[in-house]
Amino acid sequence: MNADWILSDFTTVIPAHAGSTTSRPGRWQFVEYTTDTVSGILAMANPDTGAPDIAIDLPMEGEVEIHIGMHENFCDRIQLKLARERAFLRLRHGPVGDQAAIQQVFWRRVKIEKGDRLLIRQEGGYRASIAYVMARQAEPQAEHPREFQVHITDDGFPSNWGKARDAADATWQASGYPLLDIDGVSYGTNIVGMANYPTRHPELRLPLAELLLCTFPRPVYRQAIEIMQRDRESGLNVPARIAQLNRAQGIRTFAYARMAHSHCPPPYDALRSPFFDAHPEYRCRDRDGTTVSRLSMAWPEVRQQFIRLFQECVEWGADGVDNVFVRGLPLVLYEEPLLEAFRAAHGEAATEVAEDDPRLLGMRAEIVTLYMRELRAALPEGTPIVATVPATPRLCMTFALDLKSWIDEGLIDILRPYRWGEGAADVPLEMQGFADLVAGSPVKLLPVINTWRDKQGLDLLRNAISLTAWPVSGFTVWDGLGHAPDAHRAIRALHSRAAMDEALVELEEGPTRHILRTYDGMRHDNYNFGWIL
């Protein structure tokens, strides 16, 4: 195993009162296991166990790599930190194989000081099964010139990571971002157009007390409302705190807004924008006059909602703003301001010309470009503006995103095309078209190398390498910390082509997996228990 130190018997670090050979509330369950390379007594807990934290003295000092042996399919996610650190990080294993195994999962490279202790915590609602903790002296790392910027997105949905125990746990991602070696993060700040932090603007507030009277299709949504209510009562502004922590460690934070004011349909209808409900006249209207669950940018009042949100985010510390258009389209259809302007300009009804009539598309695009001008004027000079857009320039124009005008007028600083097409289909990026648009301008092209569905490190690397055929300034990864360690390894390599090539070779070998020969004292590899289920 190439280990300088390993702990594989958890009965030596978990007190007798906190452990058991059977599953019991408040206790870790001890299970014997053997593999060809490591054996011991693992610590396991079912989702509702509420097992106590495990404290492990680390006997090594200096720069070390720490790996965790995680029981595949029985260990969903665990939390770890050094006792002296601010917040627990999250860790899960990567893809599994055909045979039951313990997967060796890289946690981090860290400088261990004398007296350091590792704390391991079960996360509520998740299974935990930990076979070993292993450390080895870290080898010198190859130095590669930084050729590319690397950004990630973080959805910012308040219950993505469970119900935080305290303010440090609520902002734990800021402790995790440096492990990915990124330059910037777009952090989500809104739900259906409303702020997910304690905003000072009444028109941007979700009616949390009212929403808690509702039922929800999944527990995660109720938990999100409960978290926002708690944060509102305590005054905790999570994205502002994350921006503050990021700035101290040299990472830029972009306030990420989904560009849609909406009232979600049943059964998600508890998630709604009060502004949407109060102003039916502002809703997008389809060709036949039927309303659509979006508010239209044809109305100045709607444009101002987004601008107020972004202004406030910059005031509380965001370094820039990210208009995530792929989570909000359409922005304008056949609303009264557009119908009147089209008739005045062309003497025809917009509802009677072809849906792809260039005059109609151009007029819609002018409305959204007006929003971009208003946003630029409303923000402090020099504030970077990001546009995350559909997969091709043609799709962008179809949905009123006139990238050429934005670039020519200096309305954006970073362009991030994402594999989004009509019907939210996964459409390949038309990179030459985007490269042509930004050519000769200061706009940085940072394509998104995955969708929310793509989480494999090898895929991230292969996509990024293929995109170096164009003059990109860097890459964006959709999500980041939520991925498994193989994706983290890929993200850390995105700064240079040489580093990507090295990581590709490493990841092609796959994770180290210790096949379980016996488990709980019985044969496990030839006749797996899973066959019974």
Side-chain angles (χ1 to χ4, degrees):
M1 287 184 66
N2 190 25
D4 294 315
W5 171 83
I6 188 169
L7 182 144
S8 61
D9 181 352
F10 278 85
T11 65
T12 64
V13 293
I14 297 175
H17 70 270
S20 172
T21 56
T22 55
S23 56
R24 292 288 186 270
R27 297 189 178 198
W28 290 96
Q29 183 175 4
F30 297 133
V31 186
E32 293 184 18
Y33 71 95
T34 66
T35 75
D36 290 342
T37 48
V38 60
S39 300
I41 301 175
L42 61 77
M44 169 182 283
N46 285 322
D48 58 350
T49 297
D53 293 354
I54 302 172
I56 302 171
D57 292 320
L58 298 174
M60 299 176 64
E61 294 183 41
E63 196 83 13
V64 303
E65 288 183 357
I66 297 178
H67 300 255
I68 308 297
M70 300 181 75
H71 192 175
E72 289 183 355
N73 286 326
F74 288 91
C75 194
D76 303 317
R77 193 165 78 198
I78 59 174
Q79 300 183 12
L80 310 96
K81 74 166 187 169
L82 299 183
R84 60 182 160 86
E85 294 179 321
R86 187 186 71 90
F88 279 89
L89 305 176
R90 274 65 169 171
L91 185 70
R92 64 186 183 92
H93 62 67
V96 304
D98 295 331
Q99 287 183 283
I102 304 299
Q103 186 173 135
Q104 183 164 300
V105 182
F106 175 71
W107 178 42
R108 62 191 287 203
R109 183 183 178 113
V110 63
K111 186 172 184 179
I112 299 297
E113 301 172 0
K114 185 175 182 180
D116 265 341
R117 307 183 89 194
L118 174 67
L119 302 184
I120 300 178
R121 171 172 289 177
Q122 181 190 18
E123 186 167 350
Y126 288 84
R127 299 173 300 174
S129 188
I130 312 153
Y132 63 82
V133 177
M134 183 266 279
R136 59 190 177 209
Q137 295 293 337
E139 298 289 336
Q141 292 181 304
E143 293 291 335
H144 298 292
R146 297 173 80 90
E147 302 171 64
F148 306 110
Q149 290 187 28
V150 180
H151 288 203
I152 65 168
T153 67
D154 190 322
D155 191 54
F157 193 68
S159 63
N160 275 358
W161 305 105
K163 201 162 187 176
R165 299 192 181 197
D166 51 32
D169 200 31
T171 58
W172 77 271
Q173 301 101 303
S175 296
Y177 296 146
L179 303 184
L180 300 180
D181 194 22
I182 58 173
D183 301 288
V185 56
S186 286
Y187 191 87
T189 59
N190 70 324
I191 297 174
V192 295
M194 300 285 100
N196 65 10
Y197 58 86
T199 175
R200 72 171 186 271
H201 294 299
E203 68 275 14
L204 289 174
R205 290 185 195 141
L206 285 158
L208 301 177
E210 178 184 341
L211 297 185
L212 287 172
L213 299 175
C214 300
T215 62
F216 296 83
R218 290 177 57 204
V220 67
Y221 296 114
R222 170 169 290 279
Q223 186 170 275
I225 302 303
E226 291 172 346
I227 291 170
M228 285 189 282
Q229 179 80 306
R230 182 199 62 192
D231 290 349
R232 185 177 292 181
E233 291 170 353
S234 68
L236 175 62
N237 185 328
V238 169
R241 177 61 176 148
I242 284 178
Q244 180 186 30
L245 293 165
N246 279 348
R247 183 168 291 150
Q249 53 201 12
I251 296 172
R252 293 200 298 175
T253 304
F254 297 86
Y256 143 27
R258 299 183 179 210
M259 302 304 292
H261 275 294
S262 182
H263 183 138
C264 297
Y268 302 96
D269 50 326
L271 298 177
R272 60 180 182 265
S273 159
F275 186 74
F276 177 97
D277 295 341
H279 295 285
E281 71 275 19
Y282 295 159
R283 296 175 191 175
C284 282
R285 293 183 179 273
D286 209 353
R287 194 175 180 87
D288 62 359
T290 306
T291 57
V292 176
S293 185
R294 309 281 194 280
L295 294 187
S296 170
M297 280 195 175
W299 300 97
E301 294 84 353
V302 175
R303 301 195 298 271
Q304 281 304 307
Q305 290 295 95
F306 290 110
I307 291 170
R308 288 189 190 100
L309 177 78
F310 281 138
Q311 281 180 308
E312 184 174 57
C313 292
V314 171
E315 288 170 13
W316 55 239
D319 299 289
V321 302
D322 185 358
N323 299 263
V324 180
F325 291 109
V326 295
R327 292 297 183 93
L329 302 172
L331 304 167
V332 56
L333 288 172
Y334 295 93
E335 296 74 53
E336 280 303 319
L338 180 137
L339 297 179
E340 293 176 6
F342 192 88
R343 185 174 293 279
H346 304 292
E348 297 180 72
T351 54
E352 295 177 3
V353 303
E355 291 194 66
D356 61 353
D357 188 305
R359 298 172 299 169
L360 178 59
L361 298 181
M363 188 164 285
R364 286 178 180 158
E366 181 56 33
I367 288 171
V368 181
T369 298
L370 176 59
Y371 157 74
M372 297 299 289
R373 293 179 189 130
E374 291 169 342
L375 177 64
R376 175 63 89 188
L379 297 178
E381 186 176 354
T383 302
I385 295 177
V386 181
T388 302
V389 302
T392 73
R394 182 194 66 79
L395 278 167
C396 290
M397 197 63 190
T398 297
F399 287 100
L401 311 179
D402 184 356
L403 304 185
K404 185 178 187 307
S405 292
W406 299 359
I407 293 167
D408 289 347
E409 296 184 35
L411 301 179
I412 61 172
D413 302 281
I414 297 173
L415 179 62
R416 302 207 291 207
Y418 176 87
R419 294 199 324 252
W420 187 97
E422 291 171 289
D426 186 345
V427 174
L429 298 181
E430 190 181 296
M431 286 302 301
Q432 188 59 55
F434 292 113
D436 290 344
L437 283 168
V438 303
S441 80
V443 174
K444 298 185 184 305
L445 184 57
L446 271 65
V448 185
I449 62 176
N450 64 318
T451 71
W452 62 270
R453 301 176 181 88
D454 308 315
K455 303 174 182 179
Q456 303 300 319
L458 280 172
D459 292 337
L460 298 184
L461 284 173
R462 289 166 179 157
N463 290 343
I465 289 170
S466 71
L467 293 174
T468 60
W470 289 274
V472 298
S473 298
F475 309 98
T476 302
V477 180
W478 194 267
D479 301 330
L481 290 173
H483 297 328
D486 64 314
H488 295 175
R489 175 69 182 93
I491 294 169
R492 290 193 297 272
L494 294 176
H495 278 296
S496 83
R497 177 58 193 270
M500 284 188 268
D501 289 339
E502 289 178 6
L504 193 64
V505 172
E506 181 182 323
L507 292 180
E508 283 175 340
E509 295 177 358
T512 299
R513 302 177 67 248
H514 309 283
I515 304 301
L516 282 165
R517 302 305 181 192
T518 65
Y519 181 65
D520 199 23
M522 289 173 275
R523 189 83 189 197
H524 200 63
D525 52 349
N526 291 343
Y527 310 103
N528 190 295
F529 164 71
W531 296 356
I532 302 171
L533 299 179

